[in-house]
């Protein structure tokens, strides 16, 4: 029985190792060709112009199709929708975690592809929803962000 379990574990391990090698050998799609002295994000105005995106470049239906959206600098925007509708994908196009297939994503009127990855990701921050439960009191959790915060 131990020999058969050992054999099964070996088969599973070989399959896992092959998959890990596939992931490590995957070529990077997004290549940074700009120096860090190029464009920098200043105000932070974001615009999507006719943006479409597919995870698989040969798939028939896009995940996002013909998105037109303008977000003024300093705005707070909530993107609401059902699970799997493309909220995270849409936001991931801003720091070029993915590149759109059609259209363009602009920050301060400059296409995100014209920023160095370093400057773009230094100038863009994202806060994605996470379901976390914190331990301790509300006061302790607020002081986690600022240990010198007063009760006021």
């Amino acid at each position: 029985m131990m020999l058969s379990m050992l054999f099964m574990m070996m088969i599973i391990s070989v399959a896992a190792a092959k998959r890990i090698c596939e992931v490590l050998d995957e070529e990077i799609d997004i290549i940074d060709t700009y120096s860090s002295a190029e464009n920098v994000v200043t105000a932070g105005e974001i615009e999507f112009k006719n943006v479409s995106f597919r995870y698989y470049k040969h798939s028939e239906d896009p995940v996002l199709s013909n998105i037109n959206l303008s977000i003024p600098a300093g705005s707070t925007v909530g993107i609401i929708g059902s699970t799997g509708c493309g909220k995270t994908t849409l936001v991931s196009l801003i720091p070029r975690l993915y590149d759109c297939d059609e259209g363009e994503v602009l920050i301060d009127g400059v296409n995100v592809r014209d920023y160095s990855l370093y400057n773009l990701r230094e100038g863009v921050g994202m806060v994605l929803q996470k379901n976390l439960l914190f331990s301790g009191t509300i006061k302790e959790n607020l002081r986690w962000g600022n240990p010198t915060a007063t009760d006021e």
Side-chain angles (χ1 to χ4, degrees):
M1 191 155 52
M2 286 295 278
L3 189 58
S4 67
M5 283 186 60
L6 182 64
F7 184 69
M8 289 298 292
M9 291 296 283
M10 207 164 69
I11 291 172
I12 292 170
S13 298
V14 168
K18 283 182 182 177
R19 183 64 185 131
I20 290 170
C21 288
E22 287 176 10
V23 171
L24 293 176
D25 291 340
E26 184 68 28
E27 291 186 29
I28 297 172
D29 290 341
I30 298 173
I31 299 169
D32 194 1
T33 57
Y34 296 95
S35 70
S36 59
E38 298 290 328
N39 296 323
V40 293
V41 176
T42 53
E45 180 179 328
I46 300 169
E47 185 175 3
F48 290 82
K49 286 187 176 179
N50 300 315
V51 171
S52 295
F53 176 78
R54 291 173 177 79
Y55 280 108
Y56 302 103
K57 303 310 174 199
H58 302 295
S59 62
E60 194 171 309
D61 297 324
V63 175
L64 301 172
S65 179
N66 200 29
I67 303 293
N68 289 291
L69 173 66
S70 182
I71 304 170
S75 298
T76 301
V77 175
I79 301 171
I80 301 169
S82 61
T83 302
C85 72
K87 303 178 297 290
T88 303
T89 302
L90 178 72
V91 172
S92 296
L93 293 172
I94 299 168
R96 284 192 73 199
L97 299 179
Y98 305 116
D99 274 335
C100 59
D101 295 325
E102 298 171 13
E104 56 185 354
V105 179
L106 307 171
I107 299 180
D108 296 334
V110 178
N111 192 312
V112 292
R113 292 178 176 160
D114 294 333
Y115 286 97
S116 71
L117 290 177
Y118 177 81
N119 286 346
L120 179 63
R121 292 175 184 171
E122 278 291 308
V124 173
M126 297 186 318
V127 179
L128 301 177
Q129 179 180 345
K130 288 271 188 195
N131 296 327
L132 297 174
L133 296 176
F134 294 98
S135 61
T137 65
I138 294 173
K139 182 178 180 179
E140 289 170 340
N141 278 281
L142 290 174
R143 285 206 170 142
W144 182 75
N146 182 1
T148 61
T150 65
D151 288 343
E152 290 79 32

